Amino acid sequence: MDNMCPLRNVHDDPFEEATKRLKYVLFWLQPMGSERMEMRKRQMSVHQETSGIRKMRGQEGLLMKSEVLAYQTVKKGNPTPTLEDVYSWGQSFDKLMNTPAGRNAFREFLRTEFSEENMLFWMACEDLKKEANKNVIEEKARLIYEDYISILSPKEVSLDSRVREVINRNMLEPSQHTFDDAQLQIYTLMHRDSYPRFMNSVIYKTLLQTLSENTAES
């Protein structure tokens, strides 16, 4: 039961609880030997019995936001960061953005600040740069404009008037580099504004501590 994901006690320390839950997720992502397989089968049985309780409304049945984010960072289908990865994220914003796991963790953090559109826009621009087909470039550029540049979009990113004028000129003949100036401006914004808060966030500290403990135990 120690490795299972217990219900939140409102009197527990939030950082300690988040760490316990993240260790639980990482445990399930590890390769399984025969003994560990049997252990997980037994734990799954208990987990299924208690899953209905965790779904109930009310404070005790809800995961803390930081715990949900920690799970999103390492859940199946997402790149699982190594301890070296997480340490490197603290060295520079470039290293964070250059790793899939880093971008995923940072995106989950931005979601809590209601600024996920900055990362989505940056990623869409990166995808556009890789495109070679002219027709596809035009279609992707149109979608990016509608989703992140248009003042009518709920996901509009914050750009100054100069950059908007450049984009409007570029949209007359879209290319892979139509949004380069805007992408750089949003990258700088995330670096200066959101990155320092991410480094002090519960999700980053929990991930770092949990991976450190797992490394020490292995």
Side-chain angles (χ1 to χ4, degrees):
M1 288 296 294
D2 289 341
N3 285 317
M4 290 310 298
C5 188
L7 297 179
R8 179 190 176 194
N9 186 322
V10 296
H11 300 294
D12 288 343
D13 176 62
F15 183 77
E16 181 180 352
E17 285 297 303
T19 301
K20 289 179 181 178
R21 292 174 190 270
L22 183 54
K23 289 182 70 175
Y24 165 77
V25 175
L26 291 172
F27 172 81
W28 283 90
L29 291 176
Q30 294 173 2
M32 294 182 290
S34 58
E35 292 184 1
R36 178 163 287 177
M37 176 73 79
E38 291 301 318
M39 182 187 302
R40 292 190 189 181
K41 286 180 179 179
R42 292 193 298 270
Q43 292 176 333
M44 178 59 75
S45 176
V46 177
H47 176 67
Q48 290 173 343
E49 292 176 3
T50 59
S51 61
I53 300 175
R54 285 195 294 273
K55 291 178 182 178
M56 68 182 179
R57 296 182 183 272
Q59 189 174 26
E60 291 80 3
L62 295 175
L63 291 175
M64 293 169 56
K65 181 182 292 186
S66 60
E67 296 159 1
V68 174
L69 293 177
Y71 169 74
Q72 293 290 337
T73 302
V74 298
K75 68 181 180 180
K76 293 181 179 179
N78 284 335
T80 304
T82 65
L83 181 59
E84 289 184 357
D85 287 335
V86 179
Y87 270 126
S88 72
W89 302 347
Q91 296 172 2
S92 75
F93 184 60
D94 290 341
K95 290 183 178 180
L96 171 71
M97 294 291 283
N98 284 336
T99 63
R103 291 192 298 272
N104 181 65
F106 189 53
R107 176 181 170 182
E108 295 296 341
F109 170 74
L110 292 177
R111 187 174 296 169
T112 69
E113 297 202 327
F114 305 100
S115 58
E116 182 187 12
E117 66 275 3
N118 289 332
M119 176 64 80
L120 295 176
F121 171 69
W122 185 88
M123 293 172 64
C125 292
E126 287 295 290
D127 180 64
L128 179 64
K129 290 177 181 179
K130 300 174 184 177
E131 189 54 61
N133 184 288
K134 186 176 184 298
N135 292 330
V136 176
I137 289 173
E138 291 180 352
E139 177 63 14
K140 287 188 174 182
R142 180 183 66 81
L143 293 174
I144 291 174
Y145 189 94
E146 292 178 355
D147 285 345
Y148 305 108
I149 309 302
S150 171
I151 60 175
L152 300 177
S153 173
K155 296 186 292 184
E156 178 194 7
V157 296
S158 179
L159 300 170
D160 62 36
S161 58
R162 181 194 66 81
V163 171
R164 286 186 174 276
E165 290 176 2
V166 171
I167 292 174
N168 289 333
R169 289 197 300 269
N170 291 343
M171 286 298 292
L172 297 175
E173 190 173 348
S175 71
Q176 298 101 318
H177 304 289
T178 293
F179 303 100
D180 281 5
D181 287 355
Q183 185 186 24
L184 177 59
Q185 190 168 103
I186 294 302
Y187 188 90
T188 303
L189 175 66
M190 292 190 294
H191 184 190
R192 294 178 178 176
D193 186 52
S194 303
Y195 174 62
R197 290 197 298 274
F198 170 72
M199 296 308 303
N200 289 312
S201 68
V202 173
I203 183 174
Y204 178 75
K205 292 180 179 180
T206 300
L207 193 58
L208 184 61
Q209 177 176 327
T210 302
L211 290 172
S212 298
E213 292 175 354
N214 287 354
T215 300
E217 293 172 358
S218 61

